[in-house]
């Protein structure tokens, strides 16, 4: 925000040095970025935060300076009674969507003479870098920079019909702006329209067809409030930014819209002549009242660590524009001003007291009470995952949430619905909210391969966005993993990762088919019937599509499912001091019998004596075993916690396991 020092002095008796003012403003949160001399004036460059749109006008800056130095603020009355002719505005205003435009004020001025603006106005606008055009346009810009309320002046003779409409743009509607460029609109944009079509892009820019020129004699002055998000969306999509859109995106003061309209008319009549039609047109609703906020005096020393006198607290809050409704020995209740939408909690008032009283008055050793904080369960699980992945040699990566259409459809294990699309992608072609982390990780793998980092193992913890019909997407945290190792090696990584969270959980592997995975090398991972995630080897076609030279294996786990099974309280478990016994089993089974099925049966049938069941290999010999058969070799480790197992006990346990495998799968022990 560029501020004219001469302009600032119109509202304050400012017998204070520029340096002192800038220092106090910086300490209060309005950073001073530098200054320069423009003719006989000084231009101050102040950094305005997005939560303080009231600082986007000279009156707002003057109000802040007045509070800091206890100076009275002198704001013009914007009185047009002396220049009104008693007539009515000849237009009707219709608002089709009050959520977008809560209020719209129109005033008309007849008999103006277009010419140059007076020197005082030209000098102030020039100081802050705004070029002068003519006395009418300059007046609208002056009020914009005075109070932060955008306005627009239409040439009344160029308006078609007796109605002004605030409506959505029609599909593929064309709009010629005052920058002499034509824009193609869509139904998400809003326009100001007359009978012939759009005459302004609401909240962004006026139209060429109704602009004021040297032949203009009658004016229609627009002052309105527009919703921030649609204005921002239109401005960014069309790459059309203006001082007006900048302010509407941050919010304007609803109580000052009429003042801005009157002030603009007052300045136009003063500089261009003419008469104001006394009857204004007001469309929309009146601004609603603000809720009260109560500040307990005891909160000041508790949060700031210092005592501030109650009289000083009251003075600061009132100077800031708060209306005191009640005050007792223990607290003060106020109604925040209309220009401070950021004040709605007690702690907001505490912050205001700290800002104005002075952060520099809070000593380093202030006795602020501290309370122990704790991590959320989500953070604790993520930290355990990070430590586990780091221990297994994986590097964490960060990728963009927006991907291309091709990538969004590369893996759809979580959802087959069409992904959500952004109309303003940050990267050209990447306009889909991802439904999986896997494509992004494969892209990161490709980038590493380009720099000859072929032996790279990556993981990412981030959100995916699963579409839901007529609702916000299902945002889920996922753990994506990619490796250059085999299916079973990555499966071991997944099992080890789950073991870090809960060593007593067994993962069930179900065959899963997806175009991304090689045939027979994809798996759906579950725990107690609940989906945990997916695992698979990337097929040759997919590797080529992603530009990968080396084999790749991927997995994706639902962090929500991991949180449900995680044991976050440290657990102690006794271990056996007695020796373990290993028995190798080589079973002949049908081709469709999975290893996970045999593992599950072994644990169940063996009971407490089975410590671990470890896969070794699969071998196929159709000549010896017959077609459709395979041999599965695995090791069963047996151990008791209270004694040394005897050979008879081990043989009996293995016999139970073999019997169960034979009964449930038809497995036969290879002699």
């Amino acid at each position: 925000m560029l501020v004219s020092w001469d302009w600032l002095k119109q509202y304050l008796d400012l017998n204070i040095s520029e340096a002192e003012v800038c220092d106090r403003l910086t300490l209060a949160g309005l950073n001073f970025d530098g200054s320069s001399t423009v003719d006989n004036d000084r231009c101050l460059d102040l950094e305005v935060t997005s939560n303080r749109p009231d600082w986007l006008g000279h009156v707002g800056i003057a109000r802040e300076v007045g509070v800091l130095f206890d100076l009275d603020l002198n704001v013009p009355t914007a009185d047009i009674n002396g220049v009104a002719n008693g007539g009515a505005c000849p237009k009707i205003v219709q608002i089709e969507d009050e959520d977008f435009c809560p209020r719209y004020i129109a005033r008309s001025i007849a008999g103006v003479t277009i010419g140059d603006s007076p020197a005082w106005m030209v000098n102030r606008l020039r100081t802050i870098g705004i070029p002068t055009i003519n006395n009418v346009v300059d007046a609208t810009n002056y009020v914009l920079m005075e109070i932060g309320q955008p306005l627009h002046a239409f040439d009344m003779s160029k308006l078609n019909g007796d109605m002004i409409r605030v409506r959505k743009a029609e599909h593929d509607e064309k709009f010629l702006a005052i920058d002499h460029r034509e824009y193609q609109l869509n139904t998400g944009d809003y326009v100001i329209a007359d009978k012939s079509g759009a005459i302004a892009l609401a909240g962004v820019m006026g139209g060429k067809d109704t602009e004021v020129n040297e032949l203009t004699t009658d004016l229609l002055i627009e002052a309105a409030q527009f919703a921030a998000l649609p204005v921002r969306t239109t401005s960014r999509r069309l790459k059309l930014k203006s001082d007006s859109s900048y302010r509407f995106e941050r919010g304007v003061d609803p109580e000052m819209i009429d003042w801005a309209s009157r002030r603009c008319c007052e300045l136009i009549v003063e500089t261009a002549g003419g008469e104001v039609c006394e009857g204004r047109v007001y469309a929309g609703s009146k601004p609603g009242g603000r809720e009260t906020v109560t500040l307990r005096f005891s909160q000041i020393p508790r949060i700031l660590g210092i005592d501030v006198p109650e009289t000083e607290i009251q003075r600061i809050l009132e100077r800031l524009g708060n209306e005191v409704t009640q005050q007792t020995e223990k607290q003060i209740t106020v109604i925040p001003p209309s220009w401070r939408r950021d004040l709605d909690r007690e702690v907001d008032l505490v912050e205001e007291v700290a800002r104005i009283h002075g952060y520099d008055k809070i000593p380093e050793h202030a006795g602020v009470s501290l309370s122990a904080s704790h991590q959320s369960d989500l953070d604790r699980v993520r930290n355990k995952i990070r430590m586990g992945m780091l221990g297994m040699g994986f590097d964490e990566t960060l990728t963009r949430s927006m991907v291309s259409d091709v990538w969004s459809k590369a893996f759809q294990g979580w959802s087959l619905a069409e992904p959500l699309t952004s109309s303003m992608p940050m990267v050209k072609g990447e306009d889909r909210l991802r439904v999986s982390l896997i494509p992004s990780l494969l892209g990161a793998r490709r980038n590493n391969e380009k720099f000859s980092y072929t032996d790279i193992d990556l993981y990412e913890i981030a959100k995916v966005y699963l579409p839901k019909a007529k609702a916000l997407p299902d945002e889920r945290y996922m753990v994506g993993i990619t490796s250059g190792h085999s299916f079973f090696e990555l499966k071991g990584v997944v099992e080890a990762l789950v073991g870090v969270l809960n060593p007593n959980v067994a993962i069930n592997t179900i065959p899963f088919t997806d175009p991304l995975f090689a045939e027979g090398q994809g798996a759906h991972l579950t725990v107690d019937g609940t989906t945990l995630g997916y695992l698979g080897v990337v097929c040759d076609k997919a590797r080529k599509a992603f530009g990968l030279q080396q084999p790749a294996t991927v997995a994706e786990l639902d962090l929500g499912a991991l949180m449900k099974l995680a044991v976050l309280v440290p657990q102690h478990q006794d271990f056996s001091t007695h020796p373990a016994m290993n028995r190798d089993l080589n079973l002949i089974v049908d081709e469709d019998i999975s290893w996970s099925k045999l593992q599950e049966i072994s644990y169940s049938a063996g009971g407490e004596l089975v410590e671990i069941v470890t896969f070794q290999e699969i071998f196929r010999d159709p000549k010896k075993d017959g077609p459709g058969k395979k041999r599965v070799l695995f090791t069963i480790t047996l151990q008791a916690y209270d004694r040394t197992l005897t050979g008879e006990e081990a043989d009996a346990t293995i016999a139970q396991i073999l019997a169960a495998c034979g009964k449930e799968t038809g497995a036969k022990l290879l002699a």
Side-chain angles (χ1 to χ4, degrees):
M1 172 68 185
L2 299 180
V3 177
S4 160
W5 183 256
D6 177 67
W7 197 343
L8 204 61
K9 292 194 294 185
Q10 301 302 307
Y11 312 112
L12 298 167
D13 185 11
L14 201 56
N15 295 319
I16 307 168
S17 70
E18 174 190 322
E20 187 177 359
V21 169
C22 293
D23 285 345
R24 288 294 302 276
L25 287 175
T26 298
L27 289 173
L30 186 55
N31 290 338
F32 171 64
D33 284 343
S35 61
S36 59
T37 300
V38 181
D39 295 333
N40 296 320
D41 198 359
R42 293 284 292 170
C43 177
L44 312 181
D45 188 357
L46 303 176
E47 181 184 346
V48 176
T49 54
S50 59
N51 67 319
R52 292 300 303 271
D54 57 303
W55 283 344
L56 294 175
H58 280 71
V59 169
I61 302 296
R63 182 185 293 114
E64 190 75 9
V65 174
V67 175
L68 291 171
F69 292 95
D70 204 18
L71 302 175
D72 292 330
L73 181 67
N74 180 27
V75 179
T77 58
D79 185 8
I80 58 174
N81 290 328
V83 293
N85 62 11
C89 179
K91 299 295 180 181
I92 300 170
V93 176
Q94 181 185 69
I95 300 173
E96 293 188 357
D97 183 357
E98 286 197 17
D99 288 336
F100 170 72
C101 179
R103 51 201 58 89
Y104 188 107
I105 298 175
R107 281 188 166 91
S108 60
I109 306 176
V112 300
T113 301
I114 305 300
D116 294 332
S117 297
W120 62 267
M121 182 179 289
V122 171
N123 292 338
R124 291 175 187 172
L125 291 175
R126 183 190 297 126
T127 296
I128 59 176
I130 295 181
T132 56
I133 299 174
N134 58 53
N135 44 11
V136 170
V137 176
D138 292 349
T140 62
N141 287 333
Y142 189 91
V143 177
L144 168 70
M145 302 309 299
E146 182 175 41
I147 198 65
Q149 170 65 50
L151 302 109
H152 188 69
F154 298 99
D155 185 329
M156 185 78 77
S157 66
K158 298 176 182 177
L159 298 178
N160 193 349
D162 59 359
M163 178 178 290
I164 300 296
R165 296 171 60 203
V166 183
R167 61 167 174 82
K168 280 192 172 184
E170 298 172 356
H171 180 65
D172 287 340
E173 184 173 4
K174 300 291 194 300
F175 171 69
L176 182 62
I178 56 176
D179 63 358
H180 297 261
R181 294 175 59 190
E182 186 175 74
Y183 297 91
Q184 183 168 309
L185 310 181
N186 61 35
T187 54
D189 303 320
Y190 286 84
V191 299
I192 312 301
D194 62 6
K195 185 177 180 180
S196 60
I199 57 175
L201 193 54
V204 182
M205 188 171 286
K208 177 71 173 61
D209 295 338
T210 57
E211 71 175 337
V212 173
N213 59 29
E214 64 277 5
L215 301 178
T216 300
T217 58
D218 299 335
L219 304 170
L220 182 74
I221 306 300
E222 169 194 282
Q225 180 181 2
F226 300 121
L229 183 58
V231 172
R232 181 184 300 116
T233 301
T234 296
S235 175
R236 292 186 179 182
R237 184 179 64 81
L238 298 177
K239 297 180 175 59
L240 182 59
K241 295 186 178 298
S242 64
D243 288 327
S244 295
S245 66
Y246 185 81
R247 284 157 177 79
F248 280 125
E249 287 177 20
R250 286 154 180 78
V252 298
D253 180 2
E255 297 284 358
M256 293 301 287
I257 297 175
D258 187 64
W259 182 94
S261 174
R262 289 184 283 109
R263 176 66 167 159
C264 183
C265 292
E266 178 186 43
L267 290 176
I268 289 174
V269 172
E270 180 182 337
T271 61
E275 291 183 320
V276 181
C277 293
E278 186 174 352
R280 68 170 185 176
V281 175
Y282 189 110
S285 58
K286 300 293 182 181
R290 298 289 303 275
E291 296 290 331
T292 60
V293 182
T294 298
L295 170 61
R296 293 165 291 173
F297 296 131
S298 61
Q299 295 298 91
I300 298 296
R302 187 187 75 81
I303 296 175
L304 303 182
I306 61 172
D307 287 311
V308 179
E310 295 175 12
T311 54
E312 175 68 0
I313 295 173
Q314 180 183 354
R315 183 196 72 82
I316 290 172
L317 295 180
E318 287 184 329
R319 277 288 190 181
L320 287 168
N322 296 280
E323 178 187 348
V324 178
T325 60
Q326 185 180 16
Q327 184 171 353
T328 67
E329 294 180 355
K330 295 184 178 181
Q331 62 187 35
I332 184 171
T333 301
V334 301
I335 299 176
S338 58
W339 59 84
R340 291 297 304 274
R341 292 287 160 176
D342 59 321
L343 301 183
D344 56 10
R345 301 175 301 166
E346 181 180 38
V347 72
D348 297 328
L349 300 184
V350 173
E351 181 184 11
E352 292 304 292
V353 172
R355 279 195 326 107
I356 305 304
H357 184 67
Y359 291 124
D360 55 323
K361 295 180 181 178
I362 303 176
E364 294 180 4
H365 59 274
V368 179
S369 58
L370 301 177
S371 58
S373 62
H374 67 279
Q375 288 185 319
S376 67
D377 288 348
L378 175 61
D379 288 335
R380 295 169 69 188
V381 169
R382 282 191 292 200
N383 287 341
K384 282 180 172 287
I385 291 172
R386 287 190 173 103
M387 293 304 295
M389 297 304 293
L390 178 64
M392 289 184 281
F394 283 75
D395 295 306
E396 185 172 9
T397 186
L398 297 173
T399 60
R400 292 188 292 270
S401 297
M402 304 297 294
V403 297
S404 66
D405 181 46
V406 174
W407 280 21
S408 71
K409 295 176 181 177
F411 179 73
Q412 297 178 294
W414 303 102
S415 174
L416 295 175
E418 281 294 317
L420 277 72
T421 304
S422 170
S423 60
M424 295 179 293
M426 297 181 64
V427 177
K428 186 176 181 180
E430 297 184 3
D431 59 354
R432 303 298 201 275
L433 278 171
R434 63 184 173 190
V435 295
S436 171
L437 304 183
I438 290 176
S440 301
L441 286 171
L442 292 177
R445 188 169 191 82
R446 177 195 60 197
N447 292 336
N448 279 275
E449 284 189 355
K450 288 181 179 178
F451 292 95
S452 300
Y453 300 139
T454 55
D455 187 18
I456 185 75
D457 295 327
L458 302 172
Y459 78 96
E460 180 176 16
I461 304 173
K463 281 185 177 181
V464 300
Y465 305 86
L466 308 181
K468 295 172 64 177
K470 298 181 180 180
L472 293 174
D474 179 10
E475 299 184 27
R476 294 191 200 176
Y477 275 105
M478 297 287 178
V479 181
I481 308 172
T482 179
S483 170
H485 299 293
S486 69
F487 176 94
F488 290 107
E489 287 176 295
L490 188 57
K491 181 173 181 285
V493 169
V494 172
E495 290 173 338
L497 179 61
V498 172
V500 168
L501 301 174
N502 189 337
N504 299 316
V505 168
I507 299 176
N508 187 33
T509 305
I510 303 171
F512 178 74
T513 302
D514 188 89
L516 183 72
F517 296 154
E519 184 178 355
Q521 298 189 70
H524 177 203
L525 308 178
T526 65
V527 174
D528 295 332
T530 300
T531 295
L532 177 64
Y534 299 91
L535 168 69
V537 177
V538 179
C539 68
D540 292 340
K541 182 179 179 181
R543 280 201 300 118
K544 183 178 180 180
F546 278 94
L548 295 172
Q549 302 297 321
Q550 303 295 326
T553 311
V554 294
E556 188 165 31
L557 310 177
D558 186 341
L559 187 58
L562 290 173
M563 287 185 62
K564 290 179 180 178
L565 61 84
V567 178
L568 298 177
V569 178
Q571 303 289 314
H572 169 74
Q573 183 175 348
D574 289 331
F575 61 89
S576 176
T577 59
H578 300 280
M581 300 177 65
N582 291 333
R583 295 293 177 90
D584 293 333
L585 297 183
N586 194 356
L587 301 185
I588 300 175
V589 297
D590 292 336
E591 186 65 49
D592 61 351
I593 301 300
S594 66
W595 151 246
S596 60
K597 181 65 174 177
L598 296 175
Q599 185 184 43
E600 181 183 351
I601 294 172
S602 299
Y603 277 119
S604 177
E608 295 181 355
L609 295 183
V610 177
E611 181 69 18
I612 188 170
V613 181
T614 308
F615 171 83
Q616 298 297 341
E617 65 175 316
I618 292 178
F619 178 75
R620 294 173 177 85
D621 189 347
K623 291 182 179 180
K624 292 184 178 181
D625 303 329
K629 298 290 185 178
K630 64 183 177 182
R631 302 181 188 182
V632 181
L633 175 63
F634 57 98
T635 300
I636 296 179
T637 301
L638 304 173
Q639 189 175 35
Y641 283 88
D642 57 351
R643 66 191 186 281
T644 299
L645 286 179
T646 65
E648 291 77 10
E649 287 178 302
D651 291 341
T653 302
I654 295 299
Q656 291 175 4
I657 293 173
L658 289 174
C661 288
K663 181 179 179 180
E664 296 189 36
T665 68
K668 295 181 180 180
L669 179 65
L670 185 67

